[in-house]
Amino acid sequence: MPETNSSSPPKTGDLEEKITYCSICEQVCGLKVTTKGDQIVRIEPDKENPYSWEDFCIKAATSDELRTHPARLLSPMKRVGDRYVAVSYEDAIGEIADAFRRIMDEDGPDAIGSYTGNPNGFCFTNSVFHNAFMDALGSHNRFWVGSVDQNAVHYVGEEMYGSAWTALIPDVDDCKCFLLIGSNPAISAMNWVGAVPRGWKRMLEAMSNGAELIVIDPRKTETAQKADLHLSPLPEMDWAFLLGVLRVIFDRGWVNEKDCAEAVGVDEIKRIAQAVNLEDLSARCDIPVRDMEVVAEKFARAETATCLARTGSAMGRNGVLTEWLTHVLNLVTGRTDRPGGRILSQGVANVMDLGANVFVQSRTPSRVRGYAPVAGAHAVAEIPDEIETPGKGRLRGFIINGGNPVVGGPDGDRLDAALSKLECLVAVDLMQRESHRHAHWLIPGVHFLEREEIHVLIGCMHDVPFVQGASAVVSKPSGVRHEWEFYKRLAEALGVTLFSGVFAPDPTAVEEALLGMGGRMTREKIKAHPHGVIFGERQIGNLRKSLYTPDKKIHACPPDLAALLKSRLAEPASRSDIAQFPYQLITRRRLQMMNSWLTESSGTRIRKDVGSAIEINTGDATRENLQNGDLVSVQSSIRAIEAVVHVSSDVRPGVAVMEHGWGSRTFDPVTGAVLSERGKNRNRLVSGEDLDPLTRVPRFNGVPVRIERRP
């Protein structure tokens, strides 16, 4: 494809049009922002962007509401009693450095930990300087939002391809059969560790040309409503359905012999699949054997096909099995890194190379539970143990960087109590949220519309070679510093060296160094194309040349995954607690909000009961004598919350649905007043102990509950 370029933005009177992109999700939609001075008048899609503007949504259109939120932090704030006072950066950095130094002198570097959330990941300078700071301290105690919904893809990438940063993206344009597990691209768009801009619309176009869409989801989602076939399994049991499909494919010889022969372990997964009775698998997932056979034939005999799982299946105790078996299904039928299948991401560099050579991951197990990290980070579920359990390396200092784990993680009540016991809690964010109630220091964040950068990592994870630099369309508030500057100055105050001296501690130097490793684009070329640039043809077939497994082969049946699969097969086919907890709670997405953040701003624009409602099947409501609007108690094994009933035919019997990410308060740090609160935190029902054994993801989707009318 040819390079694209455009002239500088025009000015109209005192109005000016500026070009950047949205940093809320991986679609990185191109934006045209009309400003008047440092006021934003309008945010629109940038239709001169050659790649990513057509997924523009209300989250981008209303993103200035967060930038101008009345609770926004405009200077560092120090806790004094139960209130905060504004202080200078110099004083804040000096006192935080003193506290961290004392803690490390007494208890070692692992006594300082951190949690990073979505906003951190979508700000390149913040994420790389934060990680460089933790590297410089020598701390292995890092926790991240990936342990809420993303660890499955990283774990499987590491085990099968040798890199936790293996981004295999669906080739939607050439696909003739889509098999989606727990995925709703009509709402969430086509991204998850890699992006396909306009992916849902492109899928619909492929369907208009004869492609089939098969959706596996307990709820008839907006995507399922367009499907040729929708099957509604029990939550957490997608793996059993996939194993049944694989059994049929192996039995009937619908495999790609060449791709199977080039991989390691196909014979072992075949033995496991063929040893299982299809009726047993059917009972586990509650999908008839005949439907498994139909899906197996449609998928295996299609000219091209792709199977992918998303957060619906990943946010539970069996998410890693489902993610793994989708990759196995693609592999054995010849869909891995083939046209119409799942292809290695394209961009300014090979993300697997960067993962192996730059974003080096810690392998140190957690102190209390002994869990290995995934993609270099431990699970949010482990934080309370690491704070409350005495011993060398107990967490005493902590940074929450752009995240809200009390709401986004499991058992927030326990985490909130644990955070109150820290000696130095630092929150880096745009405002004081629920997770920051006990912070000793509040450090302002910078909104994405106020920063200039090239996000090299996101620039590696597209379905075509594309890159765009972000521009600051308005100035950041006077006196507010970029997060990377905070970490640089804090490192200097502690006398530690960022990037081990390999890179200069300057964002431009880091960006240029990483771009140089890719050798595909320079900073100058990127800056010369403000609307973004597609700088080459899409390439397919590079995965097998990029593998980081020791033998440079795809590993179809890693031992730990095979062992977990066998242990699940040895369990009873149905839940033993179903009489006590007859429902399983799952989550859903809404177009107007990003789950786990932005509820404080964009959430004001949608229905009043959103975030407080529990959706149940019509038949279940009749049996329970419940109607729309009834107030109920939702009880799990650890806690109860209240919700308002919403009766629906879109959810299967025995399943209940509540949105994830609500129930977060924002605060006026000066007065302590609660400025906003909406919805219920359904994650309070989720245990921090009941986890996926390999990825440590809690049981967000599938947690057993009972529902009782409130008097």
Side-chain angles (χ1 to χ4, degrees), residues 572-591:
S574 60
R575 291 191 293 119
S576 60
D577 59 356
I578 196 166
Q580 184 180 8
F581 300 108
Y583 296 90
Q584 285 185 276
L585 186 65
I586 65 172
T587 189
R588 64 170 293 179
R589 291 194 180 275
R590 291 192 182 269
L591 190 62

Side-chain angles (χ1 to χ4, degrees), residues 12-320:
T12 306
D14 58 356
L15 297 181
E16 187 174 359
E17 291 180 358
K18 300 178 181 178
I19 300 301
T20 189
Y21 62 78
C22 178
S23 292
I24 292 174
C25 80
E26 291 171 90
Q27 298 300 85
V28 291
C29 294
L31 302 181
K32 180 173 71 173
V33 183
T34 302
T35 63
K36 183 176 182 180
D38 270 334
Q39 292 183 332
I40 290 178
V41 177
R42 183 170 57 254
I43 301 175
E44 303 170 276
D46 170 25
K47 296 183 180 181
E48 293 185 63
N49 185 298
Y51 182 63
S52 67
W53 65 269
E54 291 191 62
D55 289 308
F56 178 83
C57 71
I58 193 171
K59 293 187 289 291
T62 60
S63 57
D64 192 47
E65 293 181 11
L66 188 62
R67 186 184 72 90
T68 58
H69 197 285
R72 183 170 179 184
L73 297 169
L74 298 176
S75 72
M77 306 290 285
K78 176 183 178 180
R79 177 181 284 277
V80 178
D82 59 355
R83 298 290 186 269
Y84 292 84
V85 296
V87 298
S88 69
Y89 273 93
E90 288 69 24
D91 287 347
I93 288 168
E95 292 194 41
I96 294 169
D98 287 345
F100 279 8
R101 185 181 298 108
R102 174 179 53 80
I103 290 169
M104 290 190 293
D105 287 346
E106 295 172 359
D107 231 356
D110 282 338
I112 306 296
S114 70
Y115 173 86
T116 53
N118 277 325
N120 166 266
F122 288 106
C123 176
F124 184 68
T125 53
N126 186 356
S127 60
V128 297
F129 273 77
H130 173 92
N131 284 327
F133 175 76
M134 297 301 291
D135 286 342
L137 292 187
S139 173
H140 300 100
N141 265 328
R142 307 178 203 188
F143 307 83
W144 78 320
V145 69
S147 60
V148 171
D149 64 358
Q150 192 175 299
N151 272 5
V153 70
H154 296 296
Y155 186 93
V156 171
E158 176 84 16
E159 294 295 308
M160 290 188 67
Y161 311 107
S163 171
W165 293 100
T166 305
L168 297 183
I169 299 177
D171 178 13
V172 296
D173 299 321
D174 292 326
C175 184
K176 299 299 184 184
C177 180
F178 299 96
L179 177 55
L180 305 186
I181 317 289
S183 174
N184 189 12
I187 296 300
S188 58
M190 185 66 74
N191 71 86
W192 196 51
V193 193
V196 183
R198 198 173 162 270
W200 174 237
K201 295 176 184 177
R202 289 158 65 181
M203 286 181 66
L204 292 176
E205 290 170 3
M207 291 167 64
S208 71
N209 291 320
E212 285 194 90
L213 172 60
I214 304 168
V215 173
I216 313 299
D217 200 296
R219 179 177 166 268
K220 191 171 184 179
T221 63
E222 294 81 355
T223 299
Q225 292 170 19
K226 298 287 187 179
D228 298 285
L229 176 62
H230 170 225
L231 301 177
S232 184
L234 288 168
E236 306 182 307
M237 292 298 166
D238 309 279
W239 65 269
F241 166 77
L242 288 167
L243 190 60
V245 170
L246 280 165
R247 164 71 191 265
V248 173
I249 288 172
F250 283 130
D251 285 351
R252 301 188 185 181
W254 293 332
V255 299
N256 184 298
E257 299 288 354
K258 180 178 180 295
D259 284 4
C260 288
E262 290 180 353
V264 175
V266 173
D267 288 343
E268 176 60 19
I269 188 62
K270 180 179 179 179
R271 280 192 292 270
I272 295 172
Q274 292 187 319
V276 183
N277 184 285
L278 282 174
E279 295 292 345
D280 175 76
L281 295 174
S282 173
R284 292 175 185 274
C285 63
D286 196 28
I287 292 180
V289 170
R290 179 57 188 155
D291 285 340
M292 294 180 183
E293 294 171 336
V294 167
V295 172
E297 182 167 10
K298 285 179 178 292
F299 189 87
R301 306 196 69 168
E303 179 185 351
T304 58
T306 189
C307 178
L308 63 154
R310 289 300 196 232
T311 54
S313 58
M315 296 174 69
R317 67 189 293 265
N318 294 320
V320 75

Side-chain angles (χ1 to χ4, degrees), residues 246-495:
L246 280 165
R247 164 71 191 265
V248 173
I249 288 172
F250 283 130
D251 285 351
R252 301 188 185 181
W254 293 332
V255 299
N256 184 298
E257 299 288 354
K258 180 178 180 295
D259 284 4
C260 288
E262 290 180 353
V264 175
V266 173
D267 288 343
E268 176 60 19
I269 188 62
K270 180 179 179 179
R271 280 192 292 270
I272 295 172
Q274 292 187 319
V276 183
N277 184 285
L278 282 174
E279 295 292 345
D280 175 76
L281 295 174
S282 173
R284 292 175 185 274
C285 63
D286 196 28
I287 292 180
V289 170
R290 179 57 188 155
D291 285 340
M292 294 180 183
E293 294 171 336
V294 167
V295 172
E297 182 167 10
K298 285 179 178 292
F299 189 87
R301 306 196 69 168
E303 179 185 351
T304 58
T306 189
C307 178
L308 63 154
R310 289 300 196 232
T311 54
S313 58
M315 296 174 69
R317 67 189 293 265
N318 294 320
V320 75
L321 289 181
T322 298
E323 176 68 17
W324 167 45
L325 292 176
T326 65
H327 286 257
V328 174
L329 178 57
N330 286 325
L331 173 67
V332 302
T333 56
R335 319 301 191 181
T336 298
D337 210 28
R338 306 296 188 211
R342 293 187 67 176
I343 63 176
L344 187 63
S345 58
Q346 317 280 299
V348 294
N350 184 321
V351 68
M352 297 173 73
D353 292 342
L354 292 184
N357 301 311
V358 179
F359 304 112
V360 181
Q361 303 162 21
S362 169
R363 306 285 182 179
T364 303
S366 56
R367 179 180 66 98
V368 179
R369 300 192 192 183
Y371 292 158
V374 176
H378 295 292
V380 61
E382 299 183 78
I383 297 174
D385 285 346
E386 296 294 338
I387 295 173
E388 296 172 342
T389 305
K392 187 74 171 178
R394 175 178 66 88
L395 283 177
R396 298 168 57 190
F398 202 71
I399 301 171
I400 299 176
N401 188 345
N404 199 0
V406 167
V407 172
D411 196 358
D413 296 53
R414 186 185 173 207
L415 177 56
D416 178 75
L419 293 173
S420 71
K421 300 173 184 177
L422 289 165
E423 297 171 33
C424 185
L425 174 58
V426 180
V428 182
D429 210 312
L430 289 166
M431 63 183 70
Q432 185 184 21
R433 305 175 195 263
E434 191 69 39
S435 298
H436 314 148
R437 286 200 316 125
H438 308 296
H440 301 92
W441 296 94
L442 303 172
I443 304 299
V446 174
H447 193 277
F448 75 84
L449 293 171
E450 300 165 349
R451 65 176 181 251
E452 176 180 329
E453 66 177 12
I454 298 171
H455 201 309
V456 180
L457 185 58
I458 289 180
C460 296
M461 295 193 290
H462 301 304
D463 70 331
V464 300
F466 171 82
V467 68
Q468 183 179 9
S471 298
V473 298
V474 289
S475 302
K476 57 185 174 59
S478 176
V480 171
R481 299 182 185 177
H482 290 281
E483 294 93 335
W484 70 265
E485 296 180 88
F486 167 71
Y487 287 112
K488 178 181 178 180
R489 301 306 178 198
L490 185 57
E492 291 172 350
L494 284 164

